[in-house]
Amino acid sequence: MASSTLSTPSPNLLKHQNRPSSTTSSRRSSTFLPPIRSSVSEKPPFQVSISQPQTTKLPIRKIPGDYGIPFIQPYKDRLDYFYNQGRDEYFKSRIQKYQSTIFRTNVPPGPFIAQNPNVVVLLDGKSFPVLFDASKIDKTDVFTGTYTPSTELTGGYRVLSYLDPSEPKHEQLKKLMFFLLKSRSRHVIPEFQSCYREFFNALENQLAENGHASFADNNDQAAFNFLNRALFGVNPVDTELGLDGPKMVQKWVLFQLGPVLKLGLPKFVEDSMIHNFRLPFRLIKKDYQRLYDFFYASSGFALEEAERLDVSKEEACHNLLFATCFNSFGGMKLFFPNLMKWIGRGGVRLHTKLATEIREAVRSAGGEITMAAMENMPLMKSVVYEAFRIDPPVPLQFGRAKRDMVIENHENGFLVKKGELLLGYQPFATKDPKIFERAEEFVADRFVGDEGEKLLKHVLWSNGPESQSPTVGNKQCAGKDFTTLISRLLVVELFLRYDSFEIQVGNSPLGPSITLTSLKRSSF
């Protein structure tokens, strides 16, 4: 339990600098949230790079496409990517032009933020998984792509998401994340129930008053409260942070991702202000300090574990803040509306099947929502997996080739040179028609049964296949199974409470904007 209060003193974050990596601890932590599958097994033996690419039975084809005239072509490509075509059409048009799912192009932000916007794009389900192979791909500082946000935004530290598994700090920090999730596992379900019952009450009140209710506005506060109550035992509303947390986090994330986002401002205003120059940290310095102070005061038990892993409390705190606010809160902010969108579009027939399955499983478990009860909800689990497949919360994955190698799509092999930056666009890879039937459709029961479960290896949202688990030696999301669990909990809570619901779907810079227009209370 986090027993510290916000009066606990903390070092000023602006003094933090990158420390040299210490020798990693040999102490190993275990898995969390049984039977969720995560592992902190030691890294596999380091694999020596070879100078010659592997052989392939497919015909070798030169990677099509080119990068054009420096500065001019990257700028033109950026306008196409954001405004003239949009991201999906940008990639789709080039697949058609080159008759290939692997090609060369430029991606934002380009000039003046990123010196080198050149990438080799992977847009199919066969080539995409090479990005998960730590023996072939270097993940150093490519979390956000062709540019890296200033470490001022993370207290002067390169946090876990920007580290390659070969770096000693990667193992130490990932072990810390596993420790946090394991040590707080029994709090996840009850705190989710508490926070999201408050969330649904707020939706009902707004719906009764206005005839509609915004999912995002209510979800942001519920998600932030849940994460801090479940992981640290502290309700931010009861601290000096109050209700300010979600808005401060969103501003902080904007300063990191602004160069690769389309915000909906007038085209030339947005492009010149957001995509050409980095927003200065000083504009959010006080907000970040407030967030840091809150996490430093709330996470004493985790900071003590960090010191046992030879990580300073300061560096650990910045990583805990990033993992909670950027990774976890950001994931809930992006994915929960997507989940509601696809289930909402499924209509009353799907809703009735889900409500029946969920309520029967909970009754069989004595009226309690448990891990075992959720394992007896195959349609509910499939719906969550299908939403991850069709609308992954993190669509872009990057990695740099550690050596010369051949990457295959379904038709050809392509020689990639050491040092080239690879970009995988996941919505195309997970909607590959050569892997999934009716790939563009949301098929609620796609992953039900033995044959459906075999397809889980092609669900890739967590920076790794759904059929595999995160370890200290890979870059798969440490909270993969935590995220799957809370996504299932949202669906379970929804259909324990309601028979059906209706929505209106709009657009926002970060995905769909969901407005609830009807909630039909449980009748059976």
Side-chain angles (χ1 to χ4, degrees):
M1 296 290 289
S3 58
S4 305
T5 66
L6 279 179
S7 62
T8 304
S10 61
N12 190 297
L13 67 94
L14 298 177
K15 296 180 181 178
H16 302 156
Q17 301 296 327
N18 269 321
R19 273 68 164 179
S21 298
S22 303
T23 303
T24 57
S25 170
S26 62
R27 199 167 72 84
R28 301 171 63 165
S29 39
S30 58
T31 56
F32 63 95
L33 287 169
I36 292 176
R37 306 175 308 278
S38 69
S39 169
V40 292
S41 58
E42 298 298 329
K43 296 192 295 293
F46 182 77
Q47 300 187 33
V48 180
S49 296
I50 58 175
S51 59
Q52 296 298 320
Q54 73 274 23
T55 59
T56 177
K57 294 181 180 179
L58 294 174
I60 298 294
R61 179 183 174 188
K62 180 182 177 182
I63 300 175
D66 61 71
Y67 303 123
I69 301 172
F71 189 88
I72 295 174
Q73 189 61 44
Y75 178 70
K76 180 180 182 301
D77 287 341
R78 186 173 78 199
L79 294 180
D80 286 344
Y81 184 97
F82 284 125
Y83 309 107
N84 301 334
Q85 293 178 301
R87 184 167 59 189
D88 280 19
E89 185 57 34
Y90 180 86
F91 290 131
K92 194 177 298 182
S93 65
R94 284 154 180 78
I95 290 176
Q96 295 169 349
K97 177 180 178 180
Y98 301 124
Q99 292 297 294
S100 175
T101 56
I102 297 178
F103 54 84
R104 299 183 187 280
T105 192
N106 301 294
V107 291
F112 297 97
I113 294 175
Q115 292 184 345
N116 186 356
N118 306 159
V119 293
V120 176
V121 183
L122 314 177
L123 298 177
D124 61 88
K126 187 176 180 182
S127 64
F128 188 96
V130 74
L131 292 164
F132 310 145
D133 189 337
S135 70
K136 297 178 180 178
I137 300 298
D138 190 316
K139 291 283 192 174
T140 304
D141 292 334
V142 295
F143 180 63
T144 47
T146 59
Y147 86 107
T148 305
S150 169
T151 55
E152 283 186 306
L153 293 159
T154 49
Y157 294 96
R158 292 172 59 236
V159 293
L160 179 60
S161 292
Y162 291 92
L163 302 181
D164 185 73
S166 64
E167 300 180 69
K169 271 289 170 63
H170 181 276
E171 179 174 347
Q172 295 166 296
L173 290 170
K174 203 161 187 181
K175 281 185 175 181
L176 177 63
M177 299 309 159
F178 288 148
F179 165 82
L180 174 67
L181 291 164
K182 178 182 180 294
S183 63
R184 296 291 300 176
S185 60
R186 65 187 179 90
H187 299 279
V188 173
I189 292 177
E191 290 294 0
F192 191 94
Q193 289 178 298
S194 176
C195 290
Y196 274 81
R197 285 171 184 173
E198 294 172 9
F199 162 79
F200 286 123
N201 287 336
L203 286 181
E204 289 179 15
N205 291 337
Q206 289 184 13
L207 198 57
E209 184 176 345
N210 304 319
H212 57 83
S214 168
F215 182 88
D217 291 346
N218 293 284
N219 180 58
D220 287 352
Q221 191 66 55
F224 191 76
N225 292 350
F226 157 70
L227 289 168
N228 287 288
R229 286 164 59 169
L231 298 178
F232 303 105
V234 177
N235 187 353
V237 176
D238 297 333
T239 70
E240 293 179 6
L241 209 57
L243 298 173
D244 295 339
K247 291 183 179 178
M248 290 193 294
V249 170
Q250 288 176 67
K251 284 194 290 183
W252 172 67
V253 170
L254 172 63
F255 274 58
Q256 296 174 75
L257 296 185
V260 292
L261 292 179
K262 181 181 178 183
L263 303 178
L265 300 173
K267 174 179 175 179
F268 292 106
V269 172
E270 178 176 280
D271 196 62
S272 60
M273 290 179 60
I274 305 298
H275 301 147
N276 276 333
F277 306 101
R278 298 171 186 262
L279 296 171
F281 172 65
R282 64 179 179 273
L283 297 179
I284 58 164
K285 175 181 171 182
K286 291 182 179 179
D287 283 349
Y288 187 74
Q289 183 72 55
R290 285 184 65 193
L291 287 170
Y292 176 86
D293 289 342
F294 168 76
F295 279 92
Y296 196 93
S298 303
S299 57
F301 71 100
L303 299 181
E304 290 174 4
E305 176 67 13
E307 288 194 315
R308 286 191 284 272
L309 293 168
D310 289 330
V311 178
S312 72
K313 288 185 176 181
E314 293 80 11
E315 182 171 10
C317 187
H318 288 292
N319 274 274
L320 292 170
L321 190 163
F322 191 93
T324 305
C325 295
F326 192 108
N327 300 134
S328 300
F329 175 78
M332 294 174 76
K333 182 176 178 62
L334 289 170
F335 185 65
F336 278 17
N338 283 336
L339 189 55
M340 291 292 292
K341 176 184 72 175
W342 292 110
I343 296 175
R345 288 176 172 175
V348 173
R349 185 177 179 184
L350 173 60
H351 299 174
T352 302
K353 288 181 178 180
L354 284 167
T356 301
E357 176 186 84
I358 289 167
R359 293 170 196 178
E360 287 179 353
V362 172
R363 289 189 193 109
S364 297
E368 295 292 325
I369 300 174
T370 63
M371 298 286 290
M374 286 188 284
E375 287 302 312
N376 292 322
M377 304 175 188
L379 179 60
M380 179 278 292
K381 293 193 297 179
S382 178
V383 162
V384 171
Y385 287 138
E386 178 70 342
F388 276 126
R389 179 195 73 86
I390 202 168
D391 243 337
V394 181
L396 299 171
Q397 295 286 348
F398 294 84
R400 196 171 298 281
K402 287 185 173 180
R403 55 179 169 84
D404 292 357
M405 59 181 165
V406 173
I407 297 178
E408 297 179 352
N409 63 8
H410 297 290
E411 295 82 24
N412 297 102
F414 299 85
L415 178 60
V416 171
K417 294 291 187 180
K418 177 181 178 180
E420 291 196 274
L421 186 63
L422 310 178
L423 178 157
Y425 185 49
Q426 190 176 156
F428 282 21
T430 54
K431 287 185 280 192
D432 187 334
K434 295 189 177 181
I435 294 175
F436 292 103
E437 295 181 4
R438 299 160 60 194
E440 297 287 339
E441 298 178 36
F442 183 86
V443 180
D445 61 354
R446 186 186 296 278
F447 299 102
V448 172
D450 292 342
E451 291 303 311
E453 290 182 1
K454 290 178 182 178
L455 291 171
L456 289 175
K457 65 182 179 182
H458 301 294
V459 177
L460 311 172
W461 68 271
S462 63
N463 202 12
E466 188 63 35
S467 55
Q468 295 182 11
S469 299
T471 71
V472 295
N474 66 26
K475 285 301 291 181
Q476 192 162 23
C477 174
K480 164 184 174 277
D481 295 322
F482 172 81
T483 304
T484 301
L485 171 61
I486 61 176
S487 301
R488 292 175 178 180
L489 285 171
L490 177 68
V491 181
V492 170
E493 287 291 339
L494 179 66
F495 286 105
L496 285 176
R497 189 171 182 125
Y498 307 108
D499 287 344
S500 187
F501 64 95
E502 294 179 355
I503 58 173
Q504 292 178 346
V505 181
N507 295 315
S508 76
L510 294 177
S513 172
I514 304 297
T515 300
L516 275 296
T517 57
S518 172
L519 289 168
K520 184 181 178 182
R521 270 288 197 170
S522 172
S523 62
F524 64 92

